[in-house]
Amino acid sequence: MDEKHCCVQLLVNPSRGLVDEQFVILVQNTSPCSQLTLHSLHQCDDGHSWDAFAHYMSDAAGNVNVSKDCSLGGTYCGIEPMGLLWSLRPVPGSQPGLRMRKKNVELPMVVTVSVYQGHRKEGFADQVPLASVVVERWYMAPGVHRIPVTEGGLTATLFLPTGPGPFPAVLDLWGGGGQLVEYRAALLASHGIAALALDYLTAKIIMKMGKHVSYTYFETAYKYLQEHPQILGSRIAMLGFSFGTSVVLRMAVYSEVMKLRCVVCVSGSHVQAVDKDLEGMLGSLNVSNTRVTENNEIIWRGLVLPIPTDPLKKVDVGRLQCPLLVIVAEDDQNLAAQESANDVKEMMERAGNSHLLTVLSYPDAGHLIEPPYSPHVRSSKFKPVGTNETVMLLLGGEPVAHSRAQEDSWKKLLVFLRVNLLSGNAEEDQELMEALLLQKGRQARLV
């Protein structure tokens, strides 16, 4: 390595921040107009490694600014400030169907960013980089409190923001895979909104009793938040992803206990057997509409198709009395979220409450809409609750469009929650909501 290469500088600012915070990557003091490869490497909590890389040309001064300069090739192309994160993929040779999920939110996501001479595509572990920087990406901001919750038979974790409160709160439900998933709730708390991550399909009480929870389980979680001394009991929302949206909509419409301030549904549907319990709801899906690709990937979007007209087979969203944000991926191959959203819109228009509905619809995005800069996963291994079989699900989406959808929808989700949980004038809220949602609209459409 010559003297010039010994002086190469790689700067990432901030090197320690939240996972949804953009950083700036600068390479300085390289040879003018030279070929360089930037590489990122991350080892998941499950031990699997993910990496991304991009090819750049330094300018006449020997510098590269990833926020302004164009990647000429790699796992992404073009000007992509956060490409080294959202284009992460399992390292070559990894088993298929991996998904990146943070299991321990009390530790950061650690990413090593390195710069190499030349345009490389492989063999990074065998090469000595010109420079490297270790970057920490956190779901929990400093001062956020993580509190395990077991009261009332719950399996849950409460995240409280920094400060004494009281705080508005979100009851956070994930999808049909079960388990206690905490990272979205931790990130919400990092933005000033308390969040209770709730396991409702594989909770300890289910293991103990040998049967699914009843809908009173969710009311117990709501009352826990309502009565907590650091929570504003009149300002509670529910957020659901995938199958979790079915529960969220059901409770928002039919529960006499839960008086929600607003509701968010991501990649979900209102279609379900409303006269059945949770187990019956799971068993009422139209499995005959399952399809399998030539790569043996299962397509589940037909499970709720065709959208029924029978009122006993879908939530009567016309009765909804609080604002509803629906986030839809138009290439969702796991659930017919777009068709469901269209039906929700029609039902609410007929009922005269369509002013409560906001739909964000993203072309070429897939089912798994996560916080910003999470890697796109087109297909993933999945083990349905109550089975011993692991299947490969086709989730859909294209990497760039999916990345845009995640970044845009997260910003607008936070706006929606803040407007509806923190302010009080309904007319002003709606004006503010429309103004903010239309900012940086890119792919989103306000319905």
Side-chain angles (χ1 to χ4, degrees), residues 115-170:
V115 58
Y116 293 85
Q117 186 177 15
H119 284 170
R120 303 183 180 278
K121 297 181 180 181
E122 56 187 11
F124 294 100
D126 301 323
Q127 302 294 324
V128 177
L130 301 175
S132 294
V133 174
V134 176
V135 179
E136 292 184 0
R137 308 284 293 174
W138 288 82
Y139 286 92
M140 283 180 65
V144 170
H145 297 281
R146 177 185 177 275
I147 304 168
V149 177
T150 58
E151 286 90 331
L154 298 175
T155 296
T157 305
L158 175 64
F159 291 90
L160 290 174
T162 304
F167 307 102
V170 172

Side-chain angles (χ1 to χ4, degrees), residues 194-216:
L196 184 70
L198 183 67
D199 182 359
Y200 60 98
L201 290 175
T202 54
K204 291 180 180 178
I205 193 171
I206 297 174
M207 304 298 107
K208 181 179 179 180
M209 303 299 292
K211 60 181 181 180
H212 284 282
V213 298
S214 67
Y215 290 108
T216 59

Side-chain angles (χ1 to χ4, degrees), residues 60-307:
N63 301 325
V64 172
N65 183 338
V66 174
S67 296
K68 298 180 180 180
D69 296 335
C70 186
S71 166
L72 304 176
T75 53
Y76 66 90
C77 294
I79 300 175
E80 297 288 348
M82 303 302 292
L84 286 175
L85 283 189
W86 64 251
S87 73
L88 284 166
R89 78 283 159 81
V91 296
S94 298
Q95 59 181 274
L98 294 178
R99 175 180 171 186
M100 185 185 294
R101 303 192 84 176
K102 194 76 178 81
K103 295 181 179 179
N104 185 352
V105 296
E106 294 181 295
L107 295 176
M109 173 185 176
V110 178
V111 182
T112 301
V113 179
S114 303
V115 58
Y116 293 85
Q117 186 177 15
H119 284 170
R120 303 183 180 278
K121 297 181 180 181
E122 56 187 11
F124 294 100
D126 301 323
Q127 302 294 324
V128 177
L130 301 175
S132 294
V133 174
V134 176
V135 179
E136 292 184 0
R137 308 284 293 174
W138 288 82
Y139 286 92
M140 283 180 65
V144 170
H145 297 281
R146 177 185 177 275
I147 304 168
V149 177
T150 58
E151 286 90 331
L154 298 175
T155 296
T157 305
L158 175 64
F159 291 90
L160 290 174
T162 304
F167 307 102
V170 172
L171 181 53
D172 186 14
L173 274 60
W174 281 85
Q179 308 303 316
L180 183 56
V181 183
E182 298 182 349
Y183 55 88
R184 186 171 60 189
L187 191 55
L188 287 171
S190 298
H191 285 281
I193 301 172
L196 184 70
L198 183 67
D199 182 359
Y200 60 98
L201 290 175
T202 54
K204 291 180 180 178
I205 193 171
I206 297 174
M207 304 298 107
K208 181 179 179 180
M209 303 299 292
K211 60 181 181 180
H212 284 282
V213 298
S214 67
Y215 290 108
T216 59
Y217 182 80
F218 305 99
E219 293 174 339
T220 299
Y222 172 84
K223 286 187 283 189
Y224 170 83
L225 285 174
Q226 192 178 43
E227 296 166 4
H228 195 284
Q230 289 179 270
I231 300 296
L232 291 166
S234 62
R235 294 174 181 260
I236 298 173
M238 283 188 83
L239 165 59
F241 168 76
S242 193
F243 182 73
T245 66
S246 301
V247 176
V248 166
L249 288 172
R250 185 187 187 106
M251 303 311 296
V253 171
Y254 299 119
S255 174
E256 296 182 0
V257 172
M258 303 174 74
K259 307 300 179 184
L260 298 170
R261 191 74 177 228
C262 62
V263 169
V264 179
C265 293
V266 182
S267 300
S269 177
H270 62 313
V271 175
Q272 58 181 273
V274 296
D275 59 341
K276 298 184 182 298
D277 58 14
L278 191 62
E279 184 173 8
M281 191 202 320
L282 283 164
S284 65
L285 298 173
N286 190 358
V287 293
S288 63
N289 277 355
T290 298
R291 293 190 292 124
V292 181
T293 70
E294 59 184 15
N295 296 321
N296 208 33
E297 299 165 321
I298 294 178
I299 298 175
W300 270 350
R301 70 182 317 276
L303 291 178
V304 297
L305 294 177
I307 302 296

